[in-house]
Amino acid sequence: MARRENSSRRRTPSRISTSRVLAVCCGQTEQAYLDGMKRLSKPVTLKPVVKVGSPAQLVRYAAKRRQADRGGFDEYWCVVDVDEFDIGEAVAAAGAEGISLAVSNPCFEVWLILHFADCTAGISSPKAAAEKLRKHMPGYAKGALDFAVLAERVDQAVERAKALGSDNPSSDVWRLVEVVRKH
């Protein structure tokens, strides 16, 4: 027996707005973190790309990518460390190019530490930040990040990071995280 379709009961396909975000980062640790964030953010297409260089060089690379992509992404971000760089050049270039920055001072490990604890005392170097992080994540090594350990703690990291200023230590990676999770 043939089944008749009732046209009045057809469903209209539901559309979920998908946002596309390109995040240029300076290392594999950042890329591993952002790859983990992709799994938490289904409606967002987040593409982390590693580009070694100064924060200003990353901004210039993101601007060139945006020109070449011709609308391939809705937002372009650079995830950068202050380290020994003069971040002012990157901030000025990002403003001129319409690129968003997620800056960690002195390094991305500050953002990771904030998943576990407040971090208000100055950190002398990226090496010192990694040592501090190992107290919470024994065996931590650059580029070998297990996002599953951090996934349940993202909300706490966002709140702790928001409470910090822009001095050492600080991280505004939370801004990118909120963009990725809002969609």
Side-chain angles (χ1 to χ4, degrees):
M1 181 182 219
R3 191 173 186 183
R4 289 176 35 183
E5 187 176 333
N6 184 343
S7 62
S8 66
R9 298 183 80 181
R10 283 188 188 164
R11 291 186 190 181
T12 56
S14 63
R15 287 196 151 203
I16 296 174
S17 174
T18 304
S19 180
R20 298 158 305 191
V21 178
L22 179 77
V24 179
C25 43
C26 54
Q28 293 176 333
T29 303
E30 293 87 337
Q31 182 182 31
Y33 185 88
L34 295 173
D35 281 338
M37 281 301 302
K38 287 193 306 191
R39 291 189 291 276
L40 294 180
S41 314
K42 299 295 184 208
V44 172
T45 300
L46 174 62
K47 180 176 181 174
V49 174
V50 175
K51 179 74 175 164
V52 178
S54 71
Q57 289 170 324
L58 268 63
V59 169
R60 287 191 293 273
Y61 174 79
K64 286 179 186 173
R65 276 291 300 260
R66 187 180 60 213
Q67 242 178 2
D69 291 343
R70 295 191 180 135
F73 294 92
D74 301 309
E75 295 190 39
Y76 289 79
W77 283 77
C78 289
V79 180
V80 300
D81 297 344
V82 169
D83 284 337
E84 73 280 355
F85 298 108
D86 174 11
I87 202 71
E89 182 184 354
V91 170
E97 297 289 348
I99 305 293
S100 298
L101 285 179
V103 179
S104 294
N105 187 357
C107 57
F108 188 75
E109 283 74 11
V110 169
W111 170 246
L112 301 177
I113 292 165
L114 292 169
H115 286 70
F116 301 97
D118 288 323
C119 183
T120 56
I123 297 176
S124 60
S125 67
K127 182 179 178 183
E131 289 172 12
K132 187 171 181 132
L133 179 58
R134 282 189 200 97
K135 292 177 183 174
H136 304 287
M137 294 178 73
Y140 166 77
K142 279 213 167 274
L145 185 68
D146 181 6
F147 183 77
V149 173
L150 303 166
E152 297 292 322
R153 302 168 185 262
V154 173
D155 290 334
Q156 292 94 329
V158 167
E159 292 309 312
R160 289 176 179 131
K162 283 180 176 181
L164 297 173
S166 60
D167 295 331
N168 177 344
S170 65
S171 179
D172 57 4
V173 173
W174 64 269
R175 294 176 49 239
L176 174 56
V177 168
E178 286 195 340
V179 164
V180 170
R181 295 192 319 173
K182 79 175 180 182
H183 295 286

